[in-house]
Amino acid sequence: MLRSLKELYGYALQATDGEIGTVEEFYFDDEKWTVRYLVANAGSWLTGRLVLISPLALGEPDWGSQRLPVKLTREQIRNSPDIDTAKPISRQHEIDYYQYYGWPYYWAGAETWGVSPLPLAAPPPPPPEPKTEQAQGDVHLRSSREVEGYHIQARDGEIGHVEDFVADDETWRLRYLVVDTRNWWPGKKVLVAPEWIARISWQEALVHVDLTREAIKAGPAFDPGQPINREYEARLYDYYGRPVYWA
């Protein structure tokens, strides 16, 4: 099912032996457009520390009570590698994190999660990778809260800004950016698939999409109060003349 990331902010995270905090934001990679980490605000339990929780660790969500079970103990989470959210998360930090939990690297394979299209922690971990200069650098992880507010530029002008993201709650792939067009066309929200993005200027906080303003103006509107079903998605892709992702 498709879920709004913003709606998940504040969800309680429940470890196997107690609550560990709430969802603060998400980190996604800008290559496969997949959520790689939930950022948990541990509050008073870890004196305000932020910790990373991979979807590999999530159990079956309880959407009714707004709780996400985590298949880890509080002690495991307490001893996990720390992060500094003021800095980019390096590949070396990710290597340390995945080695700590004994999980396979999501970047070591062609599938969304390396060896699988789903976030499964069953395969054995690969051998340690050397600490190279590349491993220390930026690995294209982006904060959901940071990208919210980025301006959207059509082929012929600005159309609005990123308000939210819509993710598949099985694969954690980001299927859509929710674009608020009120600065240009009041009252309308639209969905834009990552595949329709021409390029992103991270320095300018600007997303360029391969669509015209007129096409977006006349396209299917998005109602955040209604679930996104396959019928709506088919109409959306058909209108823009783009191949569907589920074929």
Side-chain angles (χ1 to χ4, degrees), residues 13-87:
L13 291 162
Q14 184 78 29
T16 57
D17 54 354
E19 194 166 305
I20 58 172
T22 57
V23 177
E24 177 76 12
E25 61 177 325
F26 298 87
Y27 284 138
F28 66 91
D29 78 67
D30 61 14
E31 294 181 320
K32 290 193 176 180
W33 288 89
T34 301
V35 169
R36 298 303 181 187
Y37 304 101
L38 294 75
V39 180
N41 187 336
S44 58
W45 174 57
L46 288 179
T47 61
R49 178 181 162 196
L50 298 175
V51 295
L52 297 182
I53 302 294
S54 168
L56 291 166
L58 295 181
E60 188 66 31
D62 185 344
W63 302 112
S65 64
Q66 299 187 350
R67 303 184 79 80
L68 298 177
V70 179
K71 296 178 289 186
L72 300 169
T73 67
R74 286 160 61 99
E75 191 64 20
Q76 282 179 296
I77 295 166
R78 183 195 305 275
N79 296 327
S80 67
D82 208 349
I83 63 167
D84 182 352
T85 56
K87 300 177 182 178

Side-chain angles (χ1 to χ4, degrees), residues 158 210 241 247:
E158 190 175 316
D210 187 24

Side-chain angles (χ1 to χ4, degrees), residues 9-11 36 72 81 111 140 151 163 195 210 221 226 229:
Y9 292 164
Y11 266 43
R36 298 303 181 187
L72 300 169
E111 296 287 353
H140 304 286
H151 288 217
E163 183 182 78
E195 293 79 11
D210 187 24
Q226 298 296 322
N229 55 34

Side-chain angles (χ1 to χ4, degrees), residues 94-202:
E94 291 195 283
I95 291 171
D96 294 341
Y97 179 88
Y98 273 72
Q99 287 181 3
Y100 172 78
Y101 285 115
W103 293 333
Y105 303 136
Y106 69 78
W107 58 89
E111 296 287 353
T112 301
W113 288 94
V115 295
S116 171
L118 298 173
L120 303 173
E129 291 189 2
K131 294 188 177 183
T132 64
E133 183 178 347
Q134 181 180 7
Q136 299 292 342
D138 187 358
V139 292
H140 304 286
L141 291 176
R142 308 291 176 179
S143 157
S144 58
R145 287 192 184 272
E146 178 186 335
V147 178
E148 289 165 12
Y150 273 32
H151 288 217
I152 302 288
Q153 186 82 11
R155 294 178 198 158
D156 51 355
E158 190 175 316
I159 61 168
H161 65 272
V162 178
E163 183 182 78
D164 194 1
F165 299 90
V166 174
D168 183 316
D169 63 14
E170 286 190 310
T171 64
W172 289 92
R173 287 286 297 268
L174 296 182
R175 292 302 179 189
Y176 302 104
L177 287 74
V178 179
V179 179
D180 189 333
T181 69
R182 66 172 176 259
N183 296 338
W184 167 65
W185 187 250
K188 184 172 183 177
K189 291 181 174 64
V190 297
L191 296 183
V192 171
E195 293 79 11
W196 308 343
I197 295 174
R199 64 185 178 88
I200 300 177
S201 174
W202 301 106

